[in-house]
Amino acid sequence: MGKVPVTVLTGYLGSGKTTLLNRILCEDHGKRYAVIVNEFGELGIDNDLVVGADEEVFEMNNGCICCTVRGDLIRIISGLMKRIDRFDAIIIETTGLADPAPVAQTFFVDDDVRSKTALDAVVTVADAKHLPVRLGDSPEAAEQVAFADVIILNKIDLIDEQARQSLVARIHAINPYAKIVMANHCDIDLAEVLDLGAFDLERIVSLEPGFLTEEHAHEHDEQVKSLSLTATQPLLPELFDTWISDVLRTDGVNILRCKGILHLLDQPRRYVFQSVHMLANGIFTQPWTNTEPRHSRLVFIGRDLDEARLRAGFEACIQKGSATPGLS
Amino acid sequence: MSQSASILEQLGQQWQWSAYVLSACFDKAGNLAFALGDGSVRLLPAGADHEPVNLQAHEGAVLSLASAPKTGFLSGGDDGRFLRIDADGTTREIAAFQGRWIDHVASHANGVMACTEGKRLHVYAEKGEPLVREFPSTVGGICLAPNGYRIAVAHYGGVTLCSTRSADSTPVVLKCPGSHLAVTWSPDNRFVISAMQEACLRGWRLEDSDDLVMSGYSAKVKSWAWFNGGRYLATSGSPCAPCWSFKGRKGPKGHEPLTPGESTEALVTAVAGDPRHAILAIGYDNGQVIIAEPQRDQEVVIKPPGNGAITAMSWSADGHWLAFGTDTGFAGRLPVAG
């Protein structure tokens, strides 16, 4: 039996989140959803399996200060698993004020949740007109963007082309691998938000940094920003492992997310890595083909990233004096 | 491998239903009930050998099942209803909480019945108004004291012991950081033990609040059973069934647990023990069920692997019957003592 996919849908009130949710529930795609809502009864949701969540954020006693989980989600999901024949997928609705990290971390930390479900993607619905203001005045808005796999810029017709470009550049400076979808009334193709496998390491095949990311990363003085590191020479696995563990242990509070596709020395396959704060996992996936360049790319999204130190640490993982990675 | 019939097939009965079996429970008269994820409760009166009677008790899933004060059962569902179900299927609604889930139910022979929905505990006595208490977080589990005068409530940050008779009495708070998911009271009334999100047990000796930690589990402890006259607490959550001794004054402090049922390929997911004797039933995530005598290192397979993970298990109060169920809807009942 496959794992039940879970989509996390975030966004402020009025962003169009409920419109999107109802579209997902009503469209004729043959899938039945269980919906976990933040405030039961507040929203007009057209579904027969709606559960109210209490947004209880718990600390785990695992020596990791930023390791928080949503206790209510653990309880609700294990309850839903007792009638698993009644739905095919789960949607978790959270408000724009909620920290997305505990929701995502729940899917890494809890064995019961992890064995039965898989986080598919974090989808953030934002009001295109209001998002720039929010990014300026609320740290939660930047976190929502930082955690998103897909950002729906809703009510896009309310802003002009120049404002659109500037907003896209700003989002990419925070989160270079978020997919941005422009919409009005959330009139998007649902394939853009469902069944993405954004947390499925097997399905992460490339990490293309966003448009002009590196050059424009400092254009806005964002609290949350991204840092993209690349290497054209293979990394030594033990050095990388030691370094990244150390980075996440010491800076995991500030590093919201990290994703990487790495070429490790003497490994014919890609090593794909991701983390949410201090919680990390990595696996070997597809082999490199003979024609593609074997480059490593690692992207950090976080607050107050010490770029020079991260870059130096990453570069120290490269095998010294190695020849150009060859087509062996 | 021989294809000979298992002990369950030879001596017991087995059924295949279409939903997750989340609980099996005997009442004090030996009547048996199974609670299922499709909202049904399957009832088998004591001594009967027919197919259990299918009662569609709840609209969504049943979330909790317990024996009622004298005979019969209590159930709670994700339809928000708290029900009393007699062995013949007669059902009365004790309370309904629209839009809420009834996560836990419990009762005592003295007539006290309790349920929780979210952060709130509701206690119903034979007479008088129900008592309601709210906790700072969702209730993880409840357990009535052996004398029925107090109820232990597990929640985030510890366990609270409250009176079942008065809303005014000051509760005893047993603090321990982290999320507590279940609680049990030792039959001799001396210890309260909780199971935590972090795959360990915490405990308190009530006379002086001396605390205990029982760790080393590979998964959360979701099933436990006092057996052999309350001398041992058997637990799930490991490739064996650790049994902690509570014979001494200090409980298991300084003692290694007995480790019956060691397996190389499966995790123990359910346990049930003979109330009086040192005999234990152990169910695994691969569907196998064994009966073990931990002190003699004797083990007998009564059901081979298959039919899903064992999710529910219960031993009747008179010691004569064992019942269990799996996450794929398989269930069985076996006579276990003469």
Side-chain angles (χ1 to χ4, degrees):
Chain A
M1 192 162 50
K3 292 185 181 183
V4 175
V6 179
T7 302
V8 177
L9 194 56
T10 77
Y12 287 101
L13 271 176
S15 61
K17 185 176 53 175
T18 309
T19 310
L20 177 62
L21 183 54
N22 277 329
R23 275 204 55 212
I24 293 172
L25 297 177
C26 299
E27 248 170 59
D28 185 21
H29 40 52
K31 269 196 175 162
R32 298 159 305 163
Y33 286 90
V35 184
I36 302 173
V37 296
N38 189 57
E39 281 179 43
F40 189 70
E42 177 202 26
L43 303 165
I45 295 167
D46 191 6
N47 197 50
D48 51 357
L49 194 46
V50 181
V51 186
D54 300 307
E55 210 172 289
E56 291 181 341
V57 177
F58 290 166
E59 275 172 36
M60 291 290 293
N61 291 327
N62 56 4
C64 164
I65 51 164
C66 54
C67 189
T68 50
V69 297
R70 283 277 298 270
D72 57 326
L73 289 181
I74 296 174
R75 178 180 65 91
I76 289 168
I77 288 171
S78 62
L80 287 173
M81 288 306 133
K82 287 165 187 155
R83 47 172 174 168
I84 202 161
D85 52 322
R86 286 186 50 196
F87 59 91
D88 309 297
I90 297 173
I91 297 175
I92 300 173
E93 180 257 359
T94 75
T95 72
L97 293 170
D99 178 1
V103 177
Q105 289 176 160
T106 301
F107 292 86
F108 281 79
V109 167
D110 188 82
D111 288 338
D112 297 331
V113 171
R114 201 170 57 175
S115 68
K116 302 282 198 233
T117 63
L119 188 53
D120 186 65
V122 178
V123 176
T124 295
V125 185
D127 183 318
K129 192 166 169 148
H130 292 142
L131 183 59
V133 185
R134 286 270 184 266
L135 284 175
D137 69 10
S138 90
E140 293 91 1
E143 281 181 11
Q144 300 257 332
V145 169
F147 267 94
D149 298 292
V150 180
I151 295 170
I152 297 169
L153 290 180
N154 203 25
K155 310 181 189 178
I156 196 71
D157 283 354
L158 297 180
I159 62 173
D160 63 22
E161 185 54 34
Q162 196 188 353
R164 285 180 204 184
Q165 282 183 11
S166 142
L167 184 54
V168 167
R170 201 163 167 193
I171 290 170
H172 274 155
I174 297 172
N175 182 344
Y177 51 75
K179 181 165 82 174
I180 298 176
V181 183
M182 314 251 181
N184 289 298
H185 309 291
C186 284
D187 54 348
I188 57 161
D189 180 355
L190 293 183
E192 304 260 28
V193 294
L194 298 175
D195 196 26
L196 302 178
F199 287 84
D200 181 353
L201 294 171
E202 295 281 359
R203 285 168 66 174
I204 299 172
V205 290
S206 66
L207 279 184
E208 293 305 324
F211 176 63
L212 298 178
T213 304
E214 294 185 55
E215 292 79 355
H216 286 252
H218 302 291
E219 182 183 296
H220 297 273
D221 187 22
E222 306 289 359
Q223 288 192 337
V224 178
K225 65 180 183 185
S226 68
L227 171 63
S228 178
L229 303 171
T230 54
T232 54
Q233 292 171 311
L235 306 175
L236 286 170
E238 56 278 15
L239 290 183
F240 175 75
D241 193 49
T242 308
W243 171 71
I244 193 77
S245 305
D246 189 49
V247 166
L248 295 179
R249 194 170 55 245
T250 53
D251 287 343
V253 175
N254 290 326
I255 296 170
L256 305 178
R257 271 179 94 169
C258 170
K259 272 191 195 183
I261 296 179
L262 305 166
H263 175 210
L264 300 182
L265 187 66
D266 297 334
Q267 273 296 342
R269 291 188 295 161
R270 292 167 167 79
Y271 184 69
V272 182
F273 175 89
Q274 68 178 340
S275 75
V276 174
H277 286 302
M278 289 183 191
L279 302 171
N281 60 356
I283 56 168
F284 287 102
T285 63
Q286 303 90 343
W288 300 98
T289 65
N290 283 337
T291 52
E292 68 190 333
R294 299 185 181 192
H295 291 173
S296 295
R297 182 183 293 282
L298 188 63
V299 181
F300 289 102
I301 299 176
R303 283 184 218 95
D304 307 323
L305 298 177
D306 185 341
E307 182 171 345
R309 195 161 59 84
L310 288 170
R311 200 176 285 282
F314 182 67
E315 280 166 8
C317 301
I318 296 168
Q319 188 194 19
K320 290 295 172 234
S322 72
T324 311
L327 309 173
S328 51
Chain B
M1 291 291 285
S2 83
Q3 289 294 308
S4 61
S6 68
I7 292 178
L8 175 65
E9 287 166 321
Q10 289 173 45
L11 303 175
Q13 296 152 279
Q14 59 185 51
W15 308 282
Q16 179 65 57
W17 298 314
S18 58
Y20 190 114
V21 181
L22 66 111
S23 181
C25 179
F26 288 96
D27 73 1
K28 290 161 189 75
N31 302 305
L32 172 61
F34 294 95
L36 272 64
D38 61 3
S40 67
V41 172
R42 312 280 170 146
L43 293 164
L44 190 61
D49 56 4
H50 54 72
E51 176 93 0
V53 175
N54 180 6
L55 176 74
Q56 195 59 43
H58 293 273
E59 236 171 73
V62 189
L63 294 176
S64 50
L65 179 73
S67 60
K70 290 184 179 70
T71 63
F73 303 93
L74 302 177
S75 71
D78 62 9
D79 56 359
R81 297 170 74 214
F82 178 31
L83 302 179
R84 180 169 189 155
I85 300 169
D86 291 342
D88 65 3
T90 308
T91 301
R92 278 158 292 169
E93 184 177 283
I94 301 164
F97 303 91
Q98 191 67 33
R100 309 290 302 171
W101 286 14
I102 306 296
D103 297 306
H104 308 285
V105 300
S107 84
H108 189 271
N110 71 3
V112 169
M113 300 182 288
C115 76
T116 71
E117 42 89 19
K119 299 174 183 177
R120 277 175 296 280
L121 166 73
H122 303 263
V123 179
Y124 303 81
E126 300 261 89
K127 48 184 187 283
E129 285 293 299
L131 303 180
V132 184
R133 277 187 192 272
E134 184 159 329
F135 295 87
S137 72
T138 300
V139 174
I142 54 176
C143 181
L144 281 143
N147 63 16
Y149 297 154
R150 288 199 288 176
I151 186 165
V153 180
H155 48 79
Y156 187 69
V159 172
T160 301
L161 311 179
C162 316
S163 165
T164 55
R165 302 192 288 188
S166 159
D168 304 325
S169 65
T170 308
V172 174
V173 182
L174 305 169
K175 280 189 189 161
C176 171
S179 183
H180 297 256
L181 304 176
V183 62
T184 183
W185 211 304
S186 70
D188 65 6
N189 205 13
R190 293 195 302 133
F191 292 91
V192 165
I193 312 293
S194 82
M196 295 193 67
Q197 169 75 24
E198 286 83 2
C200 68
L201 303 183
R202 299 297 296 239
W204 294 267
R205 184 170 57 181
L206 296 178
E207 64 187 56
D208 57 3
S209 293
D210 185 29
D211 59 349
L212 300 165
V213 186
M214 288 151 273
S215 57
Y217 290 94
S218 43
K220 283 181 254 183
V221 176
K222 291 188 188 165
S223 173
W224 48 20
W226 296 96
F227 69 109
N228 193 14
R231 290 181 187 84
Y232 289 96
L233 176 67
T235 53
S236 72
S238 173
C240 64
C243 298
W244 303 95
S245 168
F246 284 80
K247 288 184 284 192
R249 204 181 82 81
K250 292 186 157 186
K253 209 166 225 182
H255 296 279
E256 293 293 313
L258 300 174
T259 55
E262 280 188 56
S263 167
T264 50
E265 64 253 24
L267 194 68
V268 174
T269 47
V271 291
D274 184 311
R276 280 181 291 280
H277 305 105
I279 305 174
L280 182 68
I282 303 170
Y284 298 85
D285 63 355
N286 66 1
Q288 178 168 269
V289 178
I290 69 166
I291 289 182
E293 276 194 79
Q295 288 150 325
R296 292 204 212 158
D297 266 340
Q298 290 192 342
E299 296 176 2
V300 180
V301 175
I302 61 164
K303 180 197 166 300
N307 316 99
I310 306 295
T311 46
M313 198 177 253
S314 180
W315 202 299
S316 65
D318 63 8
H320 293 340
W321 296 95
L322 174 70
F324 56 84
T326 76
D327 62 355
T328 60
F330 181 89
R333 184 182 73 159
L334 183 77
V336 280

